[in-house]
Every structure is written in structure tokens, then in C-alpha cells.
């Protein structure tokens, strides 16, 4: 096959010959290679790929082959199906096997099948999220946005296909999964045969077994009385040896982890879901649960076996409450203890998350009255460092169960919820903006800037409008919420 760039004239010729279904397929097939771009049409898609040097003559031929336009291969590109197949056997593909699989599944579904799949996924996508008349590819895109489907996460689709009695397509997914696992296994075998180039983790674990480093040291900062700063919060050498301070947590899994959102107020769940989905998390939201329901939800998520496949965990809580508890919509007087929430995800009770960062972002509204003005007299946040009063038992794992926690707690007066103009938490809004804008920066640094913004807000509003923000953490490494 011929090599070289593709002219605008050629792109125009091809685009004019495609029908709407073929254009939809081509846009879907290229969702991975266009990364964060979302071209509105095929012409813009092909033009973008061409500008980025990704659309060679061979790549365009592959796309036409994938959408079964063999006539255009012959008439416009002067090649044929056999030549393209021979090229694909010997060269890397533009389109992933995962995209090809989903497109082929879509081609084998009739409209009744698609309607049934849309209905079966409503428990995951939300009512009315995907319109009944949408295509299978539209459904897949929506599920991908929610991190419910990915190249290594096809269990949900497999289950739904089984429920509509399309065992033939379920088997197709199983063959793809087996082939992918075999390829990864071969790669892992190759990697284990190579020499180990880093002993940083061994050195660090050795330090944890000696002296003060066995106990987690919680780094604390409180947002209401501090002055604006431009430097990050650093941990002392007693907790993290200086020579490995820049070591980072692994953040490579797809998804990065589960993000649990429990919103008992109802103002913040939607944009928080969008934020953490964009960061690469599988988001699960619960609106307006009762106190007993909260306990059941948290326990269920703490016991999820999927944590072992992911690199982190995020929990966002929004409710009436305070620094020690949160309340469901039933507003049971004692509420649900935040201390209990944290304990459920420590290394002892949730071993599948041991050694992985566990992030908590909490917005509670309470009747603070005049106490907010004198918040320096209060204990900010839950007493995390006193959670485990029992002596540590000897254990094989060198990581303390209280390690790798990030606890960001914001309290505000309940009057915020009574203002007609108030639609969401300033703290969560700013947090969401920073996570989306600066995801490649260390999380602790981002939180310092967030505290600056809260301090700036507090300096120009009345006591009841202030937010009381504190951070406690036992992160042992640098944490960046973006695959590196």
C-alpha cells in the first residue's frame, strides 16, 4: 500500500461518500486516537488527525476497511480489501481491537436488542440519560463516560448481552478478553525477566520497620486562620525519608478507582460526578439517603473486591452534620460517624486498598452560630490520629493501616442552604475546578491553593458565610490524579 500524508481533497472525497451510520462508526472508532478532542463531524476528525500526523494513506484505508466501504478503497484509494488486510497483519493499527469489537457487536444488534440494552443499563446510567431511540454506539459512549465500560472492563456489557439472550455476542467478548489477558500475561513475563532498576520501595519499607516511621504521621493544615501561601505542605523526614520524597503513587489502572459520592443535600452530585469521571474514576452517586442507608452504602463499597484491581479510592460526602458526623435525609440526631467511614477503608478493614491512596472530601453544614469566628479553639476535623488506641499487632505487611489517607473536611453554616441563590458548596466548586484544570499537579499542592481561595473568601464575608476548611493526611508519596 502507498504511504504518505492525505490531502484535503482526498478527505473531502471520502467524507462525501459516507452515509450517516458510517460517519457515526468512524467517529466512534477514532475516539481513542483523538484523545480529548471531540470532532463534531468526520471531515473535522480526519482533518485533525491529518494535522497531528496520524492520518496517513494507510490509516485512511484502515478506516474505510473498518466501516466496510471496500468500494471506496478501490475507487478512491486505488487499493483493495486483501491489500489492507495484509497491511494490518504486519503493522500497528490506528483503531484498537476494543473499538472494532464494539462496532461489530453493534452491527449484529437490531433495534429491539438496543432498546433492551438501554433499559437494562438504566440502573447505572440514570433514568432518561440515554434516549430510547439512540444507537448502540451512543449507549457505549455514555457508559464509557461513566467508566462503566473500558477495554479491560466489559463485565457489564457481557451481563446485559446474556440477559437479552445474545450468547453469541457474549462469547465474542469472552474471546476478546481471553486474548487481551494472554497478551498482558506475555508482556508481564517479559518484564519479570528484566533486572529490577529501582529499590526505592524496598528502602522505604525497611525504614517503616524501624523507629518512629512505623506510626503514621498526620500532616495537618486548617483553612480559616491561615495566611495565603504558595508552597506545598511538606512532610518531615521522620515520616518520609528525604531521598525518596519525590516517589509517586502508581496511578495507571483503568479506571483509577471507584469514586463514591453520597450527597444528602442535592446541590453538588452532578458536577462532581462529571469531574471525577473526567479524571478517570468509576463514579457511583447516591442522592438523599437516610442515615441507615449511608452505613449500608459505605460498608458495601468498603467490601468491594474490585479495589484490588484499582490504584486508588475517592469518597465525597455532602450532608448536614459537623466535624464528627454526617446525617442522612432523616436527620437522625447522632448521625453517622465520620470516624466509622474512615475506619472502613483502613488497611486492616479494607486490605485491597492497603498501600493505595484513599481520598475523602467532605462538606458538612451545621449550626455554627458565633463559633465559626473563633474556630481556632475547635478541633478541626475528626481525630484521625487517635483512631486506633490499641497497640499495633505484629503483621507481615510493612505499611501501617492508617497510612495513605487524605482527609479534607469543610464545615459551613446551615444558612448557606437556605439562600435562594445558593446552588452548591464554594469548597466543592473550587475543588472541582482545580482538579480538572491542574490534574497533573500534586494533590497536596492543589489543596494548599484551595485553602488560599477559601481564606480569601472568608476575609470578605460575614461569619455565617465563612467556610472552615482543614486537611489531614498520611500520604507517603507524591499523589497526582492523572495517569503518568
Amino acid at each position: 500500500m502507498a504511504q504518505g500524508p492525505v490531502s484535503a481533497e482526498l478527505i473531502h472525497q471520502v467524507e462525501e461518500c459516507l452515509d450517516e451510520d458510517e460517519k457515526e462508526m468512524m467517529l466512534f472508532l477514532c475516539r481513542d486516537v483523538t484523545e480529548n478532542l471531540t470532532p463534531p463531524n468526520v471531515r473535522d476528525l480526519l482533518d485533525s488527525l491529518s494535522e497531528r500526523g496520524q492520518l496517513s494513506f494507510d490509516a485512511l484505508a484502515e478506516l474505510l476497511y473498518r466501516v466496510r466501504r471496500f468500494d471506496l478503497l478501490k475507487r478512491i484509494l486505488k487499493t483493495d480489501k486483501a491489500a489492507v488486510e495484509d497491511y494490518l497483519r504486519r503493522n500497528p493499527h490506528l483503531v484498537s481491537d476494543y473499538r472494532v469489537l464494539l462496532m461489530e457487536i453493534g452491527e449484529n444488534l437490531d433495534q429491539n436488542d438496543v432498546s433492551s440494552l438501554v433499559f437494562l443499563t438504566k440502573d447505572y446510567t440514570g433514568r432518561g440519560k440515554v434516549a430510547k431511540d439512540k444507537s448502540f454506539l451512543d449507549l457505549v459512549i455514555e457508559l464509557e463516560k461513566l467508566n462503566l465500560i473500558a477495554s479491560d472492563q466489559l463485565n457489564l456489557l457481557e451481563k446485559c448481552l446474556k440477559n437479552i439472550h445474545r450468547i453469541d455476542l457474549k462469547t465474542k467478548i469472552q474471546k476478546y478478553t481471553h486474548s487481551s489477558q494472554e497478551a498482558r500475561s506475555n508482556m508481564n513475563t517479559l518484564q519479570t525477566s528484566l533486572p529490577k532498576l529501582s529499590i526505592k520501595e524496598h528502602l522505604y519499607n525497611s525504614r517503616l520497620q524501624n523507629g518512629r516511621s512505623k506510626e503514621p504521621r498526620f500532616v495537618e493544615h486548617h483553612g480559616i486562620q491561615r495566611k495565603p501561601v504558595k508552597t506545598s505542605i511538606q512532610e518531615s523526614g521522620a515520616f518520609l525519608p528525604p531521598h525518596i520524597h519525590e516517589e509517586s503513587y502508581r496511578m495507571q489502572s483503568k479506571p483509577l478507582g471507584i469514586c463514591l459520592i453520597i450527597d444528602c443535600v442535592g446541590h453538588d452530585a452532578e458536577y462532581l460526578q462529571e469531574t471525577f469521571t473526567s479524571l478517570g474514576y468509576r463514579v457511583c452517586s447516591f442522592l438523599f439517603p437516610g442515615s441507615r442507608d449511608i452505613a449500608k452504602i459505605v460498608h458495601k463499597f468498603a467490601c468491594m473486591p474490585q479495589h484490588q484491581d484499582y490504584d486508588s479510592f475517592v469518597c465525597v460526602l455532602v450532608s448536614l452534620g459537623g466535624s464528627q458526623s454526617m446525617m442522612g435525609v432523616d436527620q437522625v440526631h447522632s448521625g453517622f460517624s465520620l470516624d466509622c467511614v474512615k475506619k472502613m477503608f483502613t488497611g486492616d478493614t479494607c486490605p485491597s486498598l492497603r498501600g493505595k491512596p484513599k481520598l475523602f472530601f467532605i462538606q458538612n453544614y451545621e449550626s455554627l452560630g458565633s463559633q465559626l469566628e473563633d474556630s481556632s479553639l475547635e478541633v478541626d476535623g475528626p481525630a484521625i490520629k487517635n483512631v486506633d488506641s490499641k497497640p499495633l499487632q505484629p503483621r507481615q505487611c510493612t505499611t501501617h493501616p492508617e497510612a495513605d489517607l487524605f482527609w479534607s473536611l469543610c464545615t459551613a453554616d446551615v444558612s448557606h442552604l437556605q439562600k435562594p441563590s445558593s446552588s452548591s458548596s464554594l469548597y466543592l466548586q473550587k475543588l472541582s475546578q482545580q482538579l480538572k484544570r491542574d490534574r497533573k499537579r500534586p494533590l497536596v499542592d492543589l489543596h494548599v491553593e484551595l485553602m488560599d481561595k477559601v481564606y480569601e473568601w472568608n476575609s470578605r464575608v460575614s461569619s455565617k458565610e465563612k467556610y472552615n476548611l482543614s486537611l489531614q493526611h498520611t500520604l507517603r508519596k507524591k499523589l497526582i490524579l492523572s495517569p503518568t
Side-chain angles (χ1 to χ4, degrees):
M1 288 173 63
Q3 301 290 329
V6 176
S7 67
E9 181 181 356
L10 196 58
I11 290 173
H12 178 72
Q13 273 185 282
V14 167
E15 191 263 345
E16 276 197 322
C17 295
L18 298 173
D19 63 31
E20 291 307 311
D21 287 341
E22 289 161 349
K23 290 176 182 178
E24 181 190 19
M25 282 192 288
M26 198 170 283
L27 287 168
F28 176 81
L29 290 170
C30 292
R31 281 182 68 83
D32 297 328
V33 290
T34 53
E35 296 177 348
N36 295 326
L37 298 175
T38 51
N41 54 57
V42 166
R43 182 184 295 180
D44 289 345
L45 164 71
L46 298 177
D47 188 50
S48 298
L49 291 175
S50 181
E51 286 182 353
R52 294 161 62 174
Q54 292 177 280
L55 188 71
S56 63
F57 181 93
D58 297 329
L60 181 57
E62 179 186 345
L63 289 174
L64 290 175
Y65 172 85
R66 297 298 185 194
V67 298
R68 313 262 197 296
R69 289 304 303 265
F70 307 131
D71 58 323
L72 298 184
L73 285 175
K74 190 171 184 178
R75 178 159 57 87
I76 298 179
L77 300 190
K78 312 302 180 188
T79 186
D80 58 27
K81 176 183 174 184
V84 177
E85 288 175 342
D86 181 61
Y87 173 82
L88 293 175
R89 277 192 293 269
R90 295 180 290 103
N91 294 276
H93 302 174
L94 174 70
V95 179
S96 69
D97 292 343
Y98 162 70
R99 294 279 162 200
V100 174
L101 169 73
L102 293 176
M103 188 196 76
E104 289 177 351
I105 289 174
E107 288 179 322
N108 284 280
L109 295 169
D110 61 30
Q111 192 53 50
N112 288 334
D113 289 332
V114 175
S115 297
S116 297
L117 289 173
V118 170
F119 178 80
L120 287 169
T121 56
K122 277 186 176 182
D123 289 340
Y124 304 89
T125 61
R127 304 288 165 174
K129 190 74 174 178
V130 181
K132 291 180 180 179
D133 60 346
K134 291 296 185 180
S135 69
F136 172 72
L137 297 184
D138 290 326
L139 173 62
V140 168
I141 290 169
E142 191 56 46
L143 293 173
E144 284 179 332
K145 289 178 181 178
L146 297 172
N147 279 320
L148 295 170
I149 281 186
S151 59
D152 57 352
Q153 187 183 343
L154 291 166
N155 293 342
L156 174 60
L157 181 57
E158 205 173 316
K159 177 183 175 183
C160 291
L161 287 170
K162 179 182 177 182
N163 286 337
I164 66 169
H165 311 295
R166 292 304 305 266
I167 305 303
D168 56 326
L169 299 181
K170 176 178 178 287
T171 302
K172 199 177 186 72
I173 291 178
Q174 289 174 331
K175 288 180 180 177
Y176 162 83
T177 302
H178 177 73
S179 176
S180 298
Q181 288 173 345
E182 197 171 66
R184 282 196 295 270
S185 176
N186 292 338
M187 181 61 71
N188 290 338
T189 301
L190 175 63
Q191 289 175 340
T192 54
S193 69
L194 299 174
K196 297 287 188 290
L197 300 179
S198 172
I199 57 170
K200 286 183 177 180
E201 187 166 346
H202 170 74
L203 289 172
Y204 175 69
N205 289 338
S206 298
R207 294 291 185 98
L208 279 177
Q209 292 175 324
N210 297 284
R212 294 172 294 177
S213 296
K214 289 180 72 175
E215 295 294 330
R217 175 182 178 276
F218 276 83
V219 178
E220 301 184 37
H221 240 271
H222 311 288
I224 203 125
Q225 64 269 25
R226 62 187 294 279
K227 299 295 182 184
V229 295
K230 298 301 178 185
T231 58
S232 63
I233 305 170
Q234 301 293 337
E235 296 155 306
S236 76
F239 183 63
L240 189 60
H243 66 285
I244 62 168
H245 184 75
E246 289 302 308
E247 187 178 4
S248 297
Y249 285 99
R250 182 187 187 277
M251 296 293 278
Q252 296 288 337
S253 64
K254 292 184 180 180
L256 288 177
I258 293 170
C259 172
L260 170 62
I261 299 176
I262 300 178
D263 187 351
C264 304
V265 174
H267 291 161
D268 302 283
E270 187 173 348
Y271 70 84
L272 288 171
Q273 178 167 321
E274 191 275 328
T275 295
F276 284 99
T277 297
S278 73
L279 290 171
Y281 283 89
R282 173 190 162 194
V283 179
C284 302
S285 292
F286 296 86
L287 284 175
F288 310 118
S291 295
R292 289 183 181 274
D293 294 328
I294 292 172
K296 291 176 183 177
I297 291 167
V298 174
H299 182 264
K300 173 187 172 183
F301 277 79
C303 296
M304 278 187 164
Q306 291 96 322
H307 292 308
Q308 66 187 359
D309 300 320
Y310 304 150
D311 290 335
S312 61
F313 170 74
V314 173
C315 181
V316 185
L317 307 175
V318 188
S319 79
L320 299 176
S323 62
Q324 305 294 333
S325 65
M326 63 180 294
M327 293 183 183
V329 290
D330 50 1
Q331 295 188 29
V332 173
H333 180 66
S334 59
F336 184 70
S337 168
L338 291 175
D339 188 52
C340 287
V341 174
K342 180 185 59 58
K343 278 185 176 180
M344 288 188 189
F345 294 94
T346 58
D348 279 342
T349 53
C350 187
S352 58
L353 282 173
R354 187 183 292 132
K356 303 174 183 179
K358 297 162 280 284
L359 318 178
F360 296 84
F361 302 98
I362 304 161
Q363 172 67 73
N364 269 350
Y365 297 94
E366 60 179 335
S367 297
L368 296 174
S370 59
Q371 294 180 2
L372 188 59
E373 288 262 309
D374 193 23
S375 61
S376 60
L377 300 177
E378 298 180 341
V379 178
D380 284 318
I384 302 176
K385 52 183 175 293
N386 296 322
V387 162
D388 192 356
S389 58
K390 297 180 291 184
L392 290 174
Q393 300 298 315
R395 46 189 306 117
Q396 295 297 317
C397 180
T398 57
T399 304
H400 190 281
E402 289 294 321
D404 312 299
L405 285 167
F406 185 97
W407 191 271
S408 174
L409 172 68
C410 185
T411 55
D413 193 276
V414 72
S415 60
H416 281 273
L417 302 178
Q418 298 162 356
K419 299 175 184 176
S421 59
S422 177
S423 59
S424 64
S425 158
L426 172 79
Y427 156 65
L428 292 174
Q429 273 190 328
K430 298 294 184 185
L431 173 68
S432 177
Q433 291 167 6
Q434 287 198 236
L435 288 175
K436 288 196 288 188
R437 186 181 63 243
D438 298 321
R439 65 182 65 188
K440 292 192 179 293
R441 293 185 56 207
L443 178 62
V444 174
D445 289 3
L446 294 185
H447 202 281
V448 170
E449 287 193 14
L450 178 61
M451 288 174 140
D452 289 343
K453 290 172 182 176
V454 171
Y455 176 83
E456 182 184 357
W457 167 268
N458 289 343
S459 68
R460 50 188 171 83
V461 297
S462 67
S463 61
K464 282 202 169 187
E465 295 176 285
K466 292 181 179 179
Y467 287 81
N468 186 15
L469 176 60
S470 67
L471 168 65
Q472 297 177 318
H473 75 85
T474 53
L475 297 181
R476 300 173 295 124
K477 308 173 187 178
K478 182 168 64 176
L479 175 60
I480 297 175
L481 297 184
S482 177
T484 55

